[in-house]
Amino acid sequence: MFCQNKLCIYWEEDECVLDEIELDFQGKCTECIYIDIDDEDLKKYRKKSLSKFV
């Protein structure tokens, strides 16, 4: 199953590792669990990503 949500714990190389999922009325996966990133790491990754565009 193709997936673009790299922040979900079930994501692996553009695919969902689950056998089945359910979608809500907006088409979002109801099984999605986001990885926990602390604010300092998030700030560091944002800065690094932003530097590629500025």
Side-chain angles (χ1 to χ4, degrees):
M1 205 171 341
F2 181 74
C3 177
Q4 292 182 310
N5 190 351
K6 294 181 179 183
L7 296 177
C8 179
I9 64 169
Y10 299 119
W11 179 92
E12 186 175 296
E13 298 181 18
D14 291 332
E15 291 189 4
C16 181
V17 299
L18 298 175
D19 292 332
E20 293 183 10
I21 63 164
E22 286 189 36
L23 302 178
D24 66 12
F25 70 96
Q26 293 180 320
K28 296 179 183 177
C29 176
T30 58
E31 281 78 12
C32 179
I33 300 173
Y34 288 96
I35 58 173
D36 187 24
I37 300 175
D38 65 61
D39 288 340
E40 284 303 311
D41 285 338
L42 185 56
K43 184 187 280 186
K44 179 177 68 175
Y45 293 129
R46 276 197 182 120
K47 187 174 182 176
K48 182 179 177 182
S49 295
L50 184 59
S51 71
K52 295 176 184 178
F53 297 102
V54 178

